[in-house]
Coordinates of all heavy atoms in Angstrom, one line a residue:
F1 N -6.1 6.0 -13.0 CA -5.7 5.1 -12.0 C -6.8 4.3 -11.3 O -6.7 3.1 -11.0 CB -4.9 5.9 -10.9 CG -4.5 5.1 -9.7 CD1 -3.4 4.2 -9.8 CD2 -5.2 5.1 -8.5 CE1 -3.0 3.5 -8.7 CE2 -4.9 4.4 -7.4 CZ -3.8 3.5 -7.5
I2 N -7.9 5.0 -11.1 CA -9.0 4.3 -10.4 C -9.5 3.1 -11.2 O -9.8 2.0 -10.7 CB -10.2 5.3 -10.1 CG1 -9.7 6.4 -9.1 CG2 -11.4 4.6 -9.6 CD1 -10.7 7.5 -8.9
V3 N -9.7 3.3 -12.5 CA -10.2 2.3 -13.3 C -9.3 1.1 -13.3 O -9.7 -0.1 -13.1 CB -10.5 2.8 -14.8 CG1 -10.9 1.6 -15.7 CG2 -11.6 3.8 -14.8
N4 N -8.0 1.3 -13.6 CA -7.0 0.2 -13.6 C -6.9 -0.5 -12.2 O -6.8 -1.7 -12.1 CB -5.7 0.7 -14.0 CG -5.6 0.8 -15.5 OD1 -6.4 0.3 -16.3 ND2 -4.6 1.5 -16.0
R5 N -7.0 0.3 -11.1 CA -6.9 -0.3 -9.8 C -8.0 -1.2 -9.5 O -7.8 -2.2 -8.8 CB -6.8 0.9 -8.8 CG -6.7 0.4 -7.3 CD -5.5 -0.4 -7.1 NE -5.4 -0.8 -5.7 CZ -6.0 -1.9 -5.2 NH1 -6.8 -2.6 -5.9 NH2 -5.8 -2.2 -3.9
L6 N -9.2 -1.0 -10.0 CA -10.3 -1.9 -9.8 C -10.4 -2.9 -10.9 O -10.7 -4.1 -10.6 CB -11.6 -1.1 -9.8 CG -11.8 -0.1 -8.7 CD1 -13.0 0.8 -8.9 CD2 -12.0 -0.9 -7.4
L7 N -10.1 -2.6 -12.1 CA -10.3 -3.5 -13.2 C -9.2 -4.6 -13.3 O -9.6 -5.8 -13.5 CB -10.3 -2.7 -14.6 CG -10.5 -3.5 -15.8 CD1 -11.9 -4.1 -15.8 CD2 -10.3 -2.6 -17.0
V8 N -8.0 -4.3 -13.2 CA -6.9 -5.3 -13.4 C -7.0 -6.4 -12.3 O -6.9 -7.6 -12.6 CB -5.5 -4.7 -13.5 CG1 -4.5 -5.7 -13.5 CG2 -5.5 -3.8 -14.7
P9 N -7.2 -6.1 -11.0 CA -7.4 -7.2 -10.0 C -8.6 -8.0 -10.3 O -8.6 -9.3 -10.1 CB -7.5 -6.4 -8.7 CG -6.7 -5.2 -8.9 CD -7.0 -4.8 -10.3
Y10 N -9.7 -7.5 -10.9 CA -10.8 -8.2 -11.3 C -10.4 -9.2 -12.4 O -10.8 -10.4 -12.3 CB -11.9 -7.3 -11.8 CG -13.0 -7.8 -12.7 CD1 -13.9 -8.7 -12.2 CD2 -13.0 -7.4 -14.0 CE1 -14.9 -9.2 -13.0 CE2 -14.0 -7.9 -14.9 CZ -14.9 -8.8 -14.4 OH -15.9 -9.3 -15.2
L11 N -9.7 -8.7 -13.4 CA -9.2 -9.6 -14.5 C -8.3 -10.7 -13.9 O -8.4 -11.9 -14.3 CB -8.5 -8.8 -15.5 CG -9.3 -7.7 -16.3 CD1 -8.3 -7.0 -17.2 CD2 -10.5 -8.3 -17.0
M12 N -7.4 -10.3 -13.0 CA -6.5 -11.3 -12.5 C -7.2 -12.4 -11.6 O -6.8 -13.5 -11.7 CB -5.4 -10.6 -11.6 CG -4.5 -9.7 -12.4 SD -3.7 -10.6 -13.8 CE -2.7 -11.8 -12.9
E13 N -8.2 -12.0 -10.9 CA -9.0 -13.0 -10.1 C -9.7 -14.0 -11.0 O -9.7 -15.2 -10.8 CB -10.0 -12.3 -9.2 CG -10.7 -13.3 -8.3 CD -9.8 -14.2 -7.4 OE1 -8.6 -13.8 -7.2 OE2 -10.2 -15.3 -7.1
A14 N -10.2 -13.5 -12.2 CA -10.8 -14.4 -13.1 C -9.7 -15.4 -13.7 O -10.0 -16.6 -13.8 CB -11.4 -13.6 -14.3
I15 N -8.5 -14.9 -14.0 CA -7.5 -15.7 -14.5 C -7.1 -16.7 -13.4 O -6.9 -17.9 -13.7 CB -6.2 -14.9 -14.9 CG1 -6.6 -14.0 -16.2 CG2 -5.0 -15.8 -15.2 CD1 -5.6 -13.0 -16.5
R16 N -7.0 -16.3 -12.2 CA -6.7 -17.3 -11.1 C -7.8 -18.3 -10.9 O -7.5 -19.5 -10.7 CB -6.5 -16.5 -9.8 CG -5.2 -15.7 -9.8 CD -4.9 -15.0 -8.5 NE -3.8 -14.1 -8.6 CZ -3.9 -12.8 -8.7 NH1 -5.0 -12.2 -8.5 NH2 -2.8 -12.1 -8.8
M17 N -9.0 -18.0 -11.1 CA -10.1 -19.0 -11.1 C -9.9 -20.0 -12.2 O -10.1 -21.2 -12.0 CB -11.5 -18.3 -11.3 CG -11.9 -17.5 -10.1 SD -13.6 -16.8 -10.4 CE -14.6 -18.2 -10.4
L18 N -9.5 -19.5 -13.4 CA -9.2 -20.5 -14.5 C -8.0 -21.3 -14.2 O -8.1 -22.6 -14.4 CB -9.0 -19.7 -15.8 CG -8.6 -20.5 -17.0 CD1 -9.8 -21.3 -17.4 CD2 -8.2 -19.5 -18.1
E19 N -7.0 -20.8 -13.6 CA -5.8 -21.5 -13.2 C -6.1 -22.6 -12.2 O -5.6 -23.7 -12.3 CB -4.7 -20.6 -12.6 CG -4.0 -19.7 -13.6 CD -3.0 -18.8 -13.0 OE1 -3.3 -18.3 -11.9 OE2 -2.0 -18.5 -13.6
R20 N -7.0 -22.3 -11.3 CA -7.4 -23.3 -10.2 C -8.3 -24.4 -10.8 O -8.6 -25.4 -10.1 CB -8.0 -22.6 -9.1 CG -7.1 -21.8 -8.2 CD -7.8 -21.3 -6.9 NE -9.0 -20.6 -7.2 CZ -9.1 -19.2 -7.2 NH1 -8.0 -18.5 -6.9 NH2 -10.2 -18.6 -7.4
G21 N -8.9 -24.1 -11.9 CA -9.9 -25.1 -12.5 C -11.3 -24.9 -12.0 O -12.1 -25.8 -12.1
D22 N -11.5 -23.7 -11.4 CA -12.9 -23.4 -10.8 C -13.9 -23.4 -11.9 O -15.1 -23.8 -11.7 CB -12.9 -22.1 -10.1 CG -12.0 -22.1 -8.8 OD1 -11.6 -23.2 -8.4 OD2 -11.6 -21.0 -8.4
A23 N -13.6 -22.8 -13.1 CA -14.5 -22.7 -14.2 C -13.7 -22.4 -15.5 O -12.5 -22.1 -15.4 CB -15.5 -21.6 -13.9
S24 N -14.4 -22.6 -16.6 CA -13.7 -22.3 -17.9 C -13.8 -20.8 -18.1 O -14.6 -20.1 -17.5 CB -14.4 -23.0 -19.0 OG -15.7 -22.4 -19.3
A25 N -13.0 -20.3 -19.0 CA -13.0 -18.8 -19.4 C -14.4 -18.5 -19.9 O -14.9 -17.4 -19.5 CB -11.9 -18.5 -20.4
R26 N -14.9 -19.3 -20.7 CA -16.3 -19.0 -21.3 C -17.3 -18.9 -20.2 O -18.2 -18.0 -20.1 CB -16.6 -20.0 -22.3 CG -18.0 -19.6 -23.0 CD -18.2 -20.0 -24.4 NE -17.1 -19.9 -25.3 CZ -16.7 -18.8 -26.0 NH1 -17.4 -17.7 -25.8 NH2 -15.8 -18.9 -26.9
D27 N -17.3 -19.9 -19.2 CA -18.3 -19.9 -18.2 C -18.1 -18.7 -17.3 O -19.1 -18.1 -16.8 CB -18.1 -21.2 -17.3 CG -18.6 -22.4 -18.0 OD1 -19.3 -22.3 -19.1 OD2 -18.3 -23.5 -17.6
I28 N -16.9 -18.3 -17.0 CA -16.7 -17.1 -16.2 C -17.2 -15.8 -16.9 O -17.9 -15.0 -16.3 CB -15.2 -16.9 -15.8 CG1 -14.8 -18.1 -14.9 CG2 -14.9 -15.6 -15.1 CD1 -13.3 -18.2 -14.7
D29 N -16.9 -15.7 -18.2 CA -17.4 -14.6 -19.0 C -18.9 -14.6 -19.0 O -19.5 -13.5 -18.7 CB -16.9 -14.7 -20.4 CG -15.5 -14.1 -20.5 OD1 -15.0 -13.5 -19.6 OD2 -14.9 -14.3 -21.6
V30 N -19.6 -15.7 -19.2 CA -21.0 -15.7 -19.3 C -21.6 -15.4 -17.9 O -22.6 -14.6 -17.8 CB -21.5 -17.1 -19.8 CG1 -23.0 -17.3 -19.5 CG2 -21.2 -17.3 -21.2
A31 N -21.0 -15.9 -16.9 CA -21.5 -15.6 -15.5 C -21.5 -14.1 -15.2 O -22.4 -13.6 -14.7 CB -20.7 -16.4 -14.5
M32 N -20.4 -13.4 -15.6 CA -20.3 -12.0 -15.3 C -21.2 -11.2 -16.2 O -21.7 -10.2 -15.8 CB -18.8 -11.6 -15.4 CG -17.9 -12.1 -14.3 SD -18.6 -11.8 -12.7 CE -18.5 -10.0 -12.6
K33 N -21.4 -11.6 -17.4 CA -22.3 -10.9 -18.3 C -23.8 -11.1 -17.8 O -24.5 -10.1 -17.7 CB -22.2 -11.4 -19.7 CG -20.9 -10.9 -20.3 CD -20.8 -11.1 -21.8 CE -20.6 -12.5 -22.2 NZ -20.3 -12.7 -23.6
L34 N -24.2 -12.3 -17.5 CA -25.5 -12.5 -17.1 C -25.8 -12.1 -15.6 O -26.8 -11.6 -15.3 CB -25.9 -14.0 -17.3 CG -25.9 -14.5 -18.7 CD1 -26.3 -16.0 -18.8 CD2 -26.9 -13.7 -19.6
G35 N -24.8 -12.5 -14.8 CA -25.0 -12.2 -13.3 C -24.8 -10.8 -12.9 O -25.4 -10.3 -12.0
A36 N -23.8 -10.2 -13.5 CA -23.4 -8.8 -13.1 C -23.9 -7.7 -14.1 O -23.7 -6.6 -13.8 CB -21.9 -8.7 -12.8
G37 N -24.3 -8.2 -15.3 CA -24.8 -7.2 -16.3 C -23.6 -6.6 -17.0 O -23.9 -5.5 -17.6
Y38 N -22.4 -7.1 -16.9 CA -21.3 -6.5 -17.6 C -21.4 -6.8 -19.1 O -21.9 -7.9 -19.5 CB -20.0 -7.1 -17.1 CG -19.6 -6.7 -15.8 CD1 -20.4 -5.9 -14.9 CD2 -18.3 -7.0 -15.2 CE1 -20.0 -5.5 -13.7 CE2 -17.9 -6.7 -14.0 CZ -18.8 -5.9 -13.2 OH -18.4 -5.5 -11.9
P39 N -21.0 -5.8 -20.0 CA -21.2 -6.1 -21.4 C -20.1 -7.1 -22.0 O -20.4 -7.7 -23.0 CB -20.9 -4.7 -22.0 CG -20.2 -3.9 -21.0 CD -20.6 -4.5 -19.6
M40 N -19.0 -7.2 -21.3 CA -18.0 -8.2 -21.6 C -17.5 -8.9 -20.4 O -17.5 -8.3 -19.3 CB -16.7 -7.5 -22.2 CG -17.0 -6.7 -23.4 SD -15.5 -5.8 -23.9 CE -14.6 -7.0 -24.8
G41 N -17.2 -10.2 -20.5 CA -16.7 -10.9 -19.4 C -15.2 -10.6 -19.3 O -14.6 -9.9 -20.1
P42 N -14.6 -11.0 -18.2 CA -13.2 -10.6 -17.9 C -12.2 -11.1 -18.9 O -11.2 -10.5 -19.2 CB -12.9 -11.2 -16.5 CG -14.0 -12.2 -16.3 CD -15.1 -11.8 -17.1
F43 N -12.4 -12.3 -19.5 CA -11.5 -12.8 -20.5 C -11.7 -12.1 -21.8 O -10.7 -11.9 -22.5 CB -11.6 -14.4 -20.6 CG -11.2 -15.1 -19.4 CD1 -12.2 -15.5 -18.4 CD2 -9.9 -15.3 -19.1 CE1 -11.8 -16.1 -17.3 CE2 -9.5 -15.9 -17.9 CZ -10.4 -16.3 -17.0
E44 N -12.9 -11.8 -22.2 CA -13.1 -11.0 -23.4 C -12.5 -9.7 -23.2 O -11.8 -9.2 -24.2 CB -14.6 -10.9 -23.6 CG -15.3 -12.1 -24.0 CD -16.8 -12.0 -23.9 OE1 -17.4 -11.3 -23.0 OE2 -17.5 -12.6 -24.8
L45 N -12.6 -9.1 -22.1 CA -12.0 -7.8 -21.8 C -10.5 -7.8 -21.8 O -9.8 -6.9 -22.4 CB -12.6 -7.2 -20.5 CG -12.1 -5.8 -20.2 CD1 -12.5 -4.8 -21.3 CD2 -12.8 -5.3 -18.9
A46 N -9.9 -8.8 -21.2 CA -8.5 -9.0 -21.1 C -7.9 -9.1 -22.6 O -6.9 -8.5 -22.9 CB -8.1 -10.1 -20.3
D47 N -8.6 -9.9 -23.4 CA -8.2 -10.0 -24.8 C -8.3 -8.7 -25.5 O -7.5 -8.4 -26.4 CB -9.0 -11.1 -25.5 CG -8.5 -12.5 -25.2 OD1 -7.5 -12.7 -24.6 OD2 -9.2 -13.5 -25.6
Y48 N -9.3 -8.0 -25.2 CA -9.5 -6.7 -25.9 C -8.4 -5.7 -25.5 O -7.9 -5.0 -26.3 CB -10.9 -6.1 -25.6 CG -11.2 -4.8 -26.1 CD1 -11.6 -4.7 -27.5 CD2 -11.2 -3.7 -25.4 CE1 -11.9 -3.4 -28.0 CE2 -11.5 -2.4 -25.9 CZ -11.8 -2.3 -27.2 OH -12.1 -1.1 -27.8
V49 N -8.2 -5.6 -24.2 CA -7.2 -4.7 -23.7 C -5.8 -5.1 -24.1 O -4.9 -4.2 -24.4 CB -7.2 -4.6 -22.1 CG1 -6.1 -3.9 -21.5 CG2 -8.6 -4.0 -21.7
G50 N -5.5 -6.4 -24.1 CA -4.2 -6.9 -24.5 C -3.6 -7.6 -23.2 O -3.5 -6.9 -22.2
L51 N -3.3 -8.8 -23.3 CA -2.7 -9.5 -22.2 C -1.4 -8.9 -21.8 O -1.1 -8.9 -20.6 CB -2.6 -11.0 -22.5 CG -3.8 -11.7 -23.0 CD1 -3.6 -13.2 -23.1 CD2 -5.0 -11.4 -22.0
D52 N -0.6 -8.4 -22.7 CA 0.6 -7.7 -22.4 C 0.4 -6.5 -21.5 O 1.2 -6.2 -20.6 CB 1.5 -7.4 -23.6 CG 0.7 -6.6 -24.7 OD1 -0.6 -6.7 -24.7 OD2 1.4 -5.9 -25.4
T53 N -0.6 -5.8 -21.8 CA -1.0 -4.5 -21.1 C -1.3 -4.9 -19.6 O -0.9 -4.3 -18.7 CB -2.1 -3.8 -21.8 OG1 -1.7 -3.5 -23.1 CG2 -2.5 -2.5 -21.0
S54 N -2.2 -5.9 -19.5 CA -2.5 -6.4 -18.1 C -1.3 -6.8 -17.4 O -1.1 -6.5 -16.2 CB -3.6 -7.5 -18.2 OG -4.8 -7.0 -18.7
K55 N -0.4 -7.6 -18.0 CA 0.8 -8.1 -17.4 C 1.7 -6.9 -17.0 O 2.3 -6.9 -15.9 CB 1.5 -9.0 -18.3 CG 2.8 -9.6 -17.6 CD 3.5 -10.5 -18.5 CE 4.9 -11.0 -18.0 NZ 5.5 -10.3 -17.0
F56 N 1.8 -5.9 -17.8 CA 2.6 -4.7 -17.6 C 2.2 -4.0 -16.3 O 3.0 -3.7 -15.4 CB 2.6 -3.8 -18.8 CG 3.4 -2.5 -18.5 CD1 4.8 -2.5 -18.6 CD2 2.7 -1.3 -18.2 CE1 5.5 -1.3 -18.4 CE2 3.4 -0.2 -18.0 CZ 4.8 -0.2 -18.1
I57 N 0.9 -3.8 -16.2 CA 0.3 -3.2 -15.0 C 0.6 -4.1 -13.7 O 1.0 -3.6 -12.7 CB -1.2 -2.9 -15.2 CG1 -1.4 -1.9 -16.3 CG2 -1.9 -2.5 -13.9 CD1 -2.8 -1.8 -16.8
M58 N 0.3 -5.4 -13.8 CA 0.5 -6.3 -12.7 C 2.0 -6.3 -12.3 O 2.3 -6.4 -11.1 CB 0.0 -7.7 -13.0 CG -1.5 -7.8 -12.9 SD -2.2 -7.2 -11.4 CE -1.5 -8.5 -10.3
D59 N 2.9 -6.3 -13.3 CA 4.3 -6.3 -13.0 C 4.7 -5.1 -12.1 O 5.4 -5.3 -11.1 CB 5.2 -6.2 -14.3 CG 5.2 -7.5 -15.0 OD1 4.7 -8.6 -14.5 OD2 5.6 -7.5 -16.2
G60 N 4.2 -3.9 -12.4 CA 4.5 -2.8 -11.6 C 3.9 -2.9 -10.2 O 4.6 -2.5 -9.2
W61 N 2.7 -3.3 -10.1 CA 2.1 -3.5 -8.8 C 2.7 -4.6 -7.9 O 2.9 -4.4 -6.7 CB 0.6 -3.7 -8.9 CG -0.2 -2.5 -9.3 CD1 0.2 -1.2 -9.3 CD2 -1.5 -2.5 -9.8 NE1 -0.8 -0.4 -9.7 CE2 -1.9 -1.1 -10.1 CE3 -2.5 -3.5 -10.1 CZ2 -3.1 -0.7 -10.6 CZ3 -3.7 -3.1 -10.6 CH2 -4.0 -1.7 -10.8
S62 N 3.1 -5.7 -8.6 CA 3.7 -6.8 -7.8 C 5.1 -6.4 -7.3 O 5.5 -6.8 -6.3 CB 3.7 -8.1 -8.6 OG 4.5 -8.0 -9.7
E63 N 5.7 -5.5 -8.1 CA 7.1 -5.0 -7.6 C 6.9 -4.0 -6.5 O 7.6 -4.0 -5.5 CB 7.8 -4.3 -8.8 CG 9.2 -3.9 -8.5 CD 9.9 -3.3 -9.7 OE1 9.7 -3.8 -10.8 OE2 10.5 -2.2 -9.5
K64 N 5.9 -3.1 -6.6 CA 5.7 -2.1 -5.6 C 5.1 -2.7 -4.3 O 5.4 -2.2 -3.2 CB 4.8 -1.0 -6.1 CG 4.6 0.1 -5.2 CD 3.8 1.3 -5.9 CE 3.7 2.4 -4.9 NZ 3.2 3.6 -5.5
Y65 N 4.2 -3.7 -4.4 CA 3.6 -4.3 -3.3 C 3.8 -5.9 -3.3 O 2.9 -6.6 -3.5 CB 2.1 -4.1 -3.4 CG 1.7 -2.6 -3.5 CD1 1.2 -2.1 -4.7 CD2 1.8 -1.8 -2.4 CE1 0.9 -0.7 -4.8 CE2 1.5 -0.4 -2.5 CZ 1.0 0.1 -3.7 OH 0.7 1.4 -3.8
P66 N 5.0 -6.3 -3.1 CA 5.3 -7.7 -3.2 C 4.6 -8.6 -2.2 O 4.5 -9.8 -2.4 CB 6.9 -7.8 -3.0 CG 7.2 -6.5 -2.2 CD 6.2 -5.5 -2.7
D67 N 4.2 -8.1 -1.1 CA 3.5 -8.9 -0.1 C 2.0 -8.9 -0.2 O 1.3 -9.5 0.6 CB 3.9 -8.4 1.3 CG 5.4 -8.6 1.6 OD1 6.0 -9.5 1.0 OD2 6.0 -7.7 2.3
V68 N 1.4 -8.2 -1.1 CA 0.0 -8.1 -1.3 C -0.5 -9.2 -2.3 O -0.1 -9.2 -3.4 CB -0.5 -6.7 -1.8 CG1 -2.0 -6.7 -2.0 CG2 0.0 -5.7 -0.8
Q69 N -1.2 -10.2 -1.8 CA -1.7 -11.3 -2.5 C -2.4 -10.9 -3.8 O -2.3 -11.5 -4.9 CB -2.6 -12.2 -1.7 CG -3.1 -13.5 -2.4 CD -2.0 -14.4 -2.8 OE1 -1.0 -14.5 -2.1 NE2 -2.2 -15.1 -3.9
L70 N -3.2 -9.9 -3.7 CA -4.0 -9.4 -4.8 C -3.1 -9.1 -6.1 O -3.6 -9.2 -7.2 CB -4.7 -8.1 -4.4 CG -5.7 -7.5 -5.4 CD1 -6.9 -8.4 -5.7 CD2 -6.2 -6.2 -4.8
F71 N -1.8 -8.7 -5.8 CA -1.0 -8.3 -6.9 C 0.1 -9.4 -7.3 O 1.0 -9.1 -8.0 CB -0.2 -7.0 -6.5 CG -1.2 -5.9 -6.3 CD1 -1.0 -5.1 -5.1 CD2 -2.2 -5.6 -7.1 CE1 -1.9 -4.0 -4.9 CE2 -3.1 -4.5 -6.9 CZ -2.9 -3.7 -5.8
Q72 N -0.1 -10.6 -6.9 CA 0.8 -11.6 -7.2 C 0.7 -12.0 -8.7 O -0.4 -11.9 -9.3 CB 0.5 -12.9 -6.4 CG 0.8 -12.7 -4.9 CD 2.2 -12.2 -4.6 OE1 3.2 -12.9 -5.0 NE2 2.4 -11.1 -4.0
Q73 N 1.8 -12.4 -9.3 CA 1.9 -12.8 -10.7 C 1.0 -14.0 -11.0 O 0.8 -14.8 -10.1 CB 3.3 -13.1 -11.0 CG 4.2 -11.9 -11.0 CD 4.0 -10.9 -12.1 OE1 3.8 -11.3 -13.2 NE2 4.0 -9.6 -11.7
S74 N 0.6 -14.1 -12.2 CA -0.1 -15.3 -12.7 C 0.8 -16.1 -13.7 O 1.2 -15.5 -14.7 CB -1.4 -14.8 -13.4 OG -1.8 -15.8 -14.3
E75 N 1.0 -17.3 -13.4 CA 1.8 -18.2 -14.3 C 1.2 -18.3 -15.7 O 1.9 -18.2 -16.7 CB 2.0 -19.6 -13.7 CG 2.9 -19.6 -12.5 CD 3.2 -21.0 -12.0 OE1 3.1 -21.9 -12.8 OE2 3.4 -21.1 -10.8
L76 N -0.1 -18.4 -15.7 CA -0.8 -18.5 -17.0 C -0.6 -17.2 -17.8 O -0.3 -17.3 -19.0 CB -2.3 -18.8 -16.8 CG -3.1 -18.9 -18.0 CD1 -2.6 -19.9 -19.0 CD2 -4.6 -19.2 -17.7
L77 N -0.9 -16.1 -17.2 CA -0.7 -14.8 -17.9 C 0.7 -14.6 -18.4 O 0.9 -14.3 -19.6 CB -1.2 -13.7 -17.1 CG -1.1 -12.3 -17.7 CD1 -2.0 -12.2 -18.9 CD2 -1.4 -11.2 -16.7
N78 N 1.7 -14.9 -17.5 CA 3.1 -14.8 -17.9 C 3.4 -15.7 -19.1 O 4.1 -15.3 -20.0 CB 4.0 -15.1 -16.7 CG 3.9 -14.0 -15.7 OD1 3.5 -12.9 -15.9 ND2 4.4 -14.4 -14.5
K79 N 2.9 -16.9 -19.1 CA 3.1 -17.9 -20.2 C 2.5 -17.4 -21.5 O 3.2 -17.4 -22.5 CB 2.6 -19.2 -19.8 CG 2.6 -20.3 -20.9 CD 2.0 -21.6 -20.4 CE 1.9 -22.7 -21.4 NZ 0.9 -22.4 -22.5
L80 N 1.3 -16.9 -21.5 CA 0.7 -16.5 -22.7 C 1.4 -15.3 -23.3 O 1.6 -15.2 -24.5 CB -0.8 -16.1 -22.4 CG -1.7 -17.3 -22.1 CD1 -3.1 -16.8 -21.6 CD2 -1.9 -18.2 -23.2
V81 N 1.8 -14.3 -22.5 CA 2.5 -13.2 -22.9 C 3.9 -13.6 -23.5 O 4.3 -13.1 -24.6 CB 2.6 -12.1 -21.9 CG1 3.6 -11.0 -22.3 CG2 1.3 -11.5 -21.5
A82 N 4.6 -14.5 -22.8 CA 5.9 -14.9 -23.3 C 5.8 -15.6 -24.7 O 6.7 -15.5 -25.5 CB 6.5 -15.9 -22.3
E83 N 4.6 -16.3 -24.9 CA 4.4 -17.0 -26.2 C 3.9 -16.0 -27.3 O 3.7 -16.4 -28.4 CB 3.3 -18.1 -26.0 CG 3.8 -19.2 -25.1 CD 2.6 -20.2 -24.8 OE1 1.4 -19.8 -25.0 OE2 2.9 -21.2 -24.3
G84 N 3.7 -14.8 -26.9 CA 3.2 -13.8 -27.9 C 1.7 -13.9 -28.1 O 1.1 -13.4 -29.1
T85 N 1.0 -14.6 -27.2 CA -0.5 -14.7 -27.3 C -1.0 -13.6 -26.5 O -1.2 -13.7 -25.2 CB -0.9 -16.1 -26.7 OG1 -0.2 -17.1 -27.4 CG2 -2.4 -16.3 -26.8
L86 N -1.3 -12.5 -27.2 CA -1.7 -11.2 -26.5 C -3.1 -10.8 -26.5 O -3.5 -9.7 -26.0 CB -0.8 -10.1 -27.0 CG 0.7 -10.4 -27.1 CD1 1.5 -9.2 -27.6 CD2 1.3 -10.7 -25.7
G87 N -4.0 -11.6 -27.2 CA -5.4 -11.2 -27.3 C -5.8 -10.9 -28.7 O -5.2 -11.4 -29.7
Q88 N -6.7 -10.0 -28.9 CA -7.3 -9.7 -30.2 C -6.2 -9.2 -31.1 O -6.2 -9.5 -32.3 CB -8.4 -8.7 -30.1 CG -9.7 -9.3 -29.4 CD -10.8 -8.3 -29.4 OE1 -10.7 -7.2 -30.0 NE2 -11.9 -8.7 -28.8
K89 N -5.3 -8.4 -30.6 CA -4.3 -7.8 -31.6 C -3.3 -8.8 -32.2 O -2.7 -8.5 -33.2 CB -3.5 -6.7 -30.8 CG -2.7 -7.2 -29.7 CD -2.0 -5.9 -29.0 CE -1.6 -6.2 -27.6 NZ -1.2 -4.9 -27.0
T90 N -3.2 -10.0 -31.6 CA -2.4 -11.1 -32.2 C -3.3 -12.2 -32.8 O -2.8 -13.2 -33.3 CB -1.4 -11.7 -31.2 OG1 -2.1 -12.2 -30.1 CG2 -0.4 -10.6 -30.7
G91 N -4.6 -12.1 -32.7 CA -5.5 -13.1 -33.2 C -5.8 -14.2 -32.2 O -6.6 -15.1 -32.5
K92 N -5.1 -14.2 -31.1 CA -5.4 -15.3 -30.1 C -5.0 -14.8 -28.7 O -4.0 -14.1 -28.5 CB -4.6 -16.5 -30.4 CG -5.0 -17.7 -29.5 CD -4.4 -19.0 -29.9 CE -4.9 -20.1 -29.0 NZ -4.1 -21.3 -29.2
G93 N -5.8 -15.1 -27.7 CA -5.6 -14.8 -26.3 C -6.2 -15.9 -25.6 O -5.9 -17.1 -25.8
F94 N -7.2 -15.6 -24.7 CA -8.0 -16.6 -24.1 C -8.9 -17.2 -25.1 O -9.4 -18.3 -24.9 CB -8.7 -16.1 -22.9 CG -7.8 -15.8 -21.7 CD1 -7.4 -14.5 -21.4 CD2 -7.2 -16.8 -21.0 CE1 -6.5 -14.2 -20.4 CE2 -6.3 -16.5 -19.9 CZ -6.0 -15.2 -19.7
Y95 N -9.2 -16.4 -26.1 CA -10.1 -16.9 -27.2 C -9.3 -16.8 -28.5 O -8.3 -16.1 -28.6 CB -11.4 -16.1 -27.3 CG -12.3 -16.2 -26.1 CD1 -12.3 -15.2 -25.2 CD2 -13.1 -17.3 -26.0 CE1 -13.2 -15.3 -24.1 CE2 -13.9 -17.4 -24.9 CZ -14.0 -16.4 -23.9 OH -14.8 -16.5 -22.8
D96 N -9.8 -17.6 -29.5 CA -9.1 -17.5 -30.9 C -9.9 -16.6 -31.7 O -11.1 -16.8 -32.0 CB -9.2 -18.9 -31.4 CG -8.4 -19.1 -32.7 OD1 -8.1 -18.0 -33.3 OD2 -8.1 -20.2 -33.1
Y97 N -9.3 -15.5 -32.3 CA -9.9 -14.5 -33.1 C -9.5 -14.7 -34.6 O -9.9 -13.8 -35.4 CB -9.5 -13.1 -32.6 CG -10.0 -12.9 -31.2 CD1 -9.1 -13.1 -30.1 CD2 -11.3 -12.5 -30.9 CE1 -9.5 -13.0 -28.8 CE2 -11.7 -12.3 -29.6 CZ -10.8 -12.6 -28.5 OH -11.2 -12.4 -27.2
S98 N -8.8 -15.7 -34.9 CA -8.4 -15.9 -36.3 C -9.4 -16.4 -37.2 O -9.2 -16.4 -38.4 CB -7.2 -16.9 -36.3 OG -7.6 -18.2 -35.9
K99 N -10.6 -16.7 -36.7 CA -11.7 -17.2 -37.6 C -12.4 -16.1 -38.3 O -12.6 -15.1 -37.9 CB -12.7 -18.0 -36.7 CG -12.0 -19.2 -36.0 CD -13.0 -19.8 -35.1 CE -12.3 -20.8 -34.2 NZ -12.9 -21.2 -33.0

């Protein structure tokens, strides 16, 4: 519980930054790897975990805590999952793994 409680909101904030146009997925990943020393950026990690898994966790939290901004749904994440773009396991997520 502790890991997901800290990790998924971190991933979601990165997705929200991308949705707002604050930075590209690659720039956010590089910033977190270089600036925070993380081995993977949030988009690399979301693709590794599976976008459907992150959405599943967020669905539960947004239902349980509908008034908490931290747990609000992401249109981009919902769209990607609906399209079957789930990350490394499908060959495409925020990055293309088909190469």
Side-chain angles (χ1 to χ4, degrees):
F1 174 78
I2 293 170
V3 172
N4 281 344
R5 179 60 180 83
L6 293 170
L7 182 64
V8 175
Y10 159 72
L11 299 177
M12 293 304 298
E13 184 56 24
I15 293 169
R16 290 185 187 106
M17 287 180 70
L18 179 64
E19 287 177 323
R20 288 190 304 262
D22 294 341
S24 70
R26 182 148 326 271
D27 287 345
I28 293 167
D29 279 349
V30 169
M32 291 308 295
K33 289 190 288 187
L34 295 178
Y38 288 7
M40 299 174 84
F43 294 99
E44 293 167 322
L45 185 55
D47 279 352
Y48 178 78
V49 169
L51 303 185
D52 54 332
T53 301
S54 294
K55 182 183 176 335
F56 177 79
I57 294 167
M58 284 304 296
D59 287 348
W61 286 343
S62 64
E63 184 177 317
K64 186 172 183 174
Y65 306 106
D67 298 327
V68 177
Q69 180 66 31
L70 186 62
F71 300 131
Q72 295 302 304
Q73 295 287 319
S74 159
E75 288 183 29
L76 177 57
L77 181 61
N78 290 343
K79 175 183 175 289
L80 291 171
V81 171
E83 293 171 348
T85 304
L86 308 179
Q88 288 184 6
K89 62 184 159 188
T90 60
K92 187 171 183 191
F94 289 103
Y95 295 103
D96 188 345
Y97 300 94
S98 64
K99 301 172 188 161

